[in-house]
Amino acid sequence: MAARHSSLLFFTSVLALLAPLLALDIENLGRLKANLDEIINLHSHKLHSDEDGKNTQQSRASDPLQTEHRSWPKDCSEVSAGSPSGVYVIQPTGLHPIVVYCEMNATDGGWTVIQRNQQSTEITWAESWSTYKYGFGNVHTEYWLGTEYIHQICKQKVYEVRFVIWDAANNTKFADYNLFSLEDESQGYRLRLGTYSGLAGDAMTSNSASTVHDNMKFSAKDLDQDTYSGNCASSYGGGWWYSACYSVRLNVKGGITWGSLCNGNCKASAIFIKPASYC
Ligand SMILES: *[C@@H]1O[C@H](CO)[C@@H](O)[C@H](O)[C@H]1NC(C)=O
Ligand SMILES: *[C@@H]1O[C@H](CO)[C@@H](O)[C@H](O)[C@H]1NC(C)=O
Ligand SMILES: [Ca+2]
């Protein structure tokens, strides 16, 4: 009993020593205002290790950096089913670990949340290309995960997307596209969507050439890649896949819009992705 206790104590102090290293290694921890002690898969790793046999603890303890070399999920779909929704560390192939919110609905979970916004947001969304590239906001409330991270996640497998829109009456509506990917930065993070289903309306693809979003490059206020003579992102506040200019506007302070479902008066939005399911 005493031996087990002291080895637990030892393991816990090793973890405490490693925490600052880990914090440095999680690239966007500060940018998304996350705290180490709320990261769900950090805790479960610790609990899991505590329950492990003494041998495992000793071998880990003899090489403390070993704890750094665990493998993180590549996206939220690799978080074990039945886990709660919340803040997790993921590590997409080729990237440093990053924090993200995982939507772990028991019946339909494993979604990586790449965007969340609400009408009363504190953040302005009028950010530069490089701020959009690596993400900003607050992982607990409103945030943009980062255009580069989204691109890197979607390179790993074939992904689908769910746009979740809370309309003017605060009813929840989905717009699902069975494919979702972003081309790389040299191609302007051009958006590629698959076939639509849902009740929110196909506002990303079905509109006229001047308001379509599918197949558009991403634009931010300091990098105009839209199809308009002016600069949509600087006129309308946030970075997005603008044409000339939009039927959907989710990255904005106030004025969230989804086609004709809620034009400037949507209550909130979220964008979820996960590997595509084939039926
Ligand atoms: C969980 O999924 C079910 C079925 O798709 C849905 O009705 C419910 O609203 C979801 N809950 C959350 C919190 O997303
Ligand atoms: C809208 O409904 C959600 C639950 O789906 C709730 O959490 C939120 O507070 C509501 N927002 C407003 C502005 O009423
Ligand atoms: Ca332009």
Side-chain angles (χ1 to χ4, degrees):
M1 202 54 182
R4 180 167 165 78
H5 182 71
S6 67
S7 91
L8 261 181
L9 208 67
F10 180 66
F11 185 76
T12 307
S13 41
V14 166
L15 237 148
L17 287 171
L18 287 173
L21 288 177
L22 186 59
L24 286 177
D25 203 36
I26 301 175
E27 200 166 273
N28 63 348
L29 189 75
R31 276 204 296 278
L32 293 191
K33 300 176 180 61
N35 302 307
L36 275 184
D37 60 11
E38 70 186 337
I39 296 173
I40 294 168
N41 53 345
L42 202 54
H43 284 274
S44 64
H45 175 82
K46 191 170 150 188
L47 286 177
H48 179 70
S49 303
D50 287 353
E51 285 155 8
D52 278 353
K54 205 171 151 203
N55 290 342
T56 317
Q57 283 175 35
Q58 278 174 344
S59 65
R60 288 225 177 108
S62 65
D63 180 9
L65 286 174
Q66 196 78 48
T67 53
E68 288 299 278
H69 296 153
R70 73 186 73 119
S71 61
W72 301 108
K74 290 183 163 55
D75 63 33
C76 297
S77 74
E78 295 189 354
V79 170
S80 51
S83 304
S85 294
V87 181
Y88 286 81
V89 174
I90 63 168
Q91 185 170 24
T93 306
L95 291 185
H96 283 277
I98 55 174
V99 286
V100 71
Y101 194 93
C102 293
E103 190 61 54
M104 299 300 295
N105 188 334
T107 50
D108 180 24
W111 294 101
T112 303
V113 179
I114 62 171
Q115 189 267 12
R116 202 179 309 97
N117 192 18
Q118 57 180 327
Q119 201 171 36
S120 62
T121 180
E122 299 276 305
I123 61 179
T124 71
W125 292 94
E127 299 290 351
S128 67
W129 179 266
S130 60
T131 302
Y132 270 92
K133 183 173 177 181
Y134 295 112
F136 60 93
N138 184 320
V139 75
H140 315 99
T141 53
E142 298 87 48
Y143 76 94
W144 179 253
L145 180 62
T147 330
E148 177 64 22
Y149 298 148
I150 298 167
H151 162 66
Q152 292 290 342
I153 292 170
C154 291
K155 260 173 63 179
Q156 305 182 106
K157 297 167 192 165
V158 175
Y159 280 76
E160 60 184 28
V161 65
R162 166 166 290 174
F163 293 88
V164 187
I165 310 300
W166 284 262
D167 68 13
N170 205 29
N171 296 311
T172 312
K173 299 264 167 66
F174 297 155
D176 293 339
Y177 294 88
N178 67 358
L179 296 174
F180 173 80
S181 71
L182 299 191
E183 291 182 5
D184 66 19
E185 187 178 16
S186 73
Q187 300 302 312
Y189 296 125
R190 192 185 293 278
L191 175 66
R192 301 292 189 189
L193 293 174
T195 303
Y196 165 82
S197 62
L199 296 174
D202 178 13
M204 294 294 286
T205 72
S206 72
N207 277 273
S208 70
S210 62
T211 59
V212 71
H213 299 292
D214 189 20
N215 300 313
M216 293 297 113
K217 291 183 173 180
F218 197 84
S219 288
K221 62 182 184 180
D222 59 341
L223 186 52
D224 174 0
Q225 307 197 88
D226 60 34
T227 57
Y228 180 52
S229 55
N231 179 334
C232 297
S234 72
S235 302
Y236 297 112
W240 194 245
W241 297 278
Y242 290 108
S243 50
C245 283
Y246 68 90
S247 57
V248 172
R249 181 165 71 145
L250 305 183
N251 292 347
V252 64
K253 184 177 170 69
I256 301 173
T257 293
W258 185 272
S260 54
L261 177 68
C262 39
N263 191 342
N265 58 357
C266 315
K267 293 281 191 261
S269 72
I271 308 176
F272 299 172
I273 59 172
K274 73 171 164 187
S277 51
Y278 298 97
C279 302

